Amino acid sequence: MKRIFFVLVALFVCIYGFAQTPNDIFTEFCQAKKASFVNVPGYMIKLTHLNTAKYRADSLKVLNLGNCSRKVIKRFSKMTAHLNASGYTPIAAKNDKKYYKSQVWLRQKDGAISSILLLRVGKHIGDLIQIDGNLDPNSVSSVIDEDYDSL
């Protein structure tokens, strides 16, 4: 009985230990050869005057692996399969088996959206986008409804 308990505990630790957070994935792949990574801090967003009463983004991270080798994209696909999006709620998923899989997660705090996470993975595609800030849920849902076909 003790042996089974320890095996289950070890299995749980291994599964949880290999789970990747979005920040782990950004850190791992932002230095990959031919990867495009953009991290726009809040003060740069304020300079563009894109923040309004409905949208107040504090940061934007975009990782694009479209020009990387298939080996890098395959590793990205494996790591995102174990994505630990704790605190996020999945709101949309699209699985086109021929080309790619895309997912959208939201993190809410006090009735407002505090973070959006978008993931798109395929044979030749590897994208991860994270938007942090104080975002109006109605505005975000309308944007996702309009643009989800382009994911």
Side-chain angles (χ1 to χ4, degrees), residues 101-113:
K101 174 179 78 169
S102 60
Q103 298 171 331
V104 180
W105 290 281
L106 297 179
R107 179 183 287 166
Q108 292 186 330
K109 184 176 181 183
D110 299 329
I113 296 172

Side-chain angles (χ1 to χ4, degrees), residues 27-87:
T27 303
E28 176 78 23
F29 290 97
C30 71
Q31 300 296 323
K33 189 175 182 179
K34 296 185 180 180
S36 300
F37 176 69
V38 179
N39 183 8
V40 183
Y43 70 89
M44 291 295 289
I45 295 172
K46 289 177 186 175
L47 290 174
T48 63
H49 301 291
L50 292 176
N51 285 347
T52 64
K54 291 184 178 182
Y55 305 102
R56 197 177 86 232
D58 295 331
S59 71
L60 171 68
K61 292 181 185 178
V62 179
L63 176 66
N64 181 311
L65 302 175
N67 295 328
C68 293
S69 67
R70 284 190 179 193
K71 185 177 179 181
V72 171
I73 294 174
K74 192 172 186 178
R75 192 165 52 97
F76 177 78
S77 178
K78 285 182 180 179
M79 285 185 75
T80 56
H82 301 288
L83 182 65
N84 180 9
S86 62

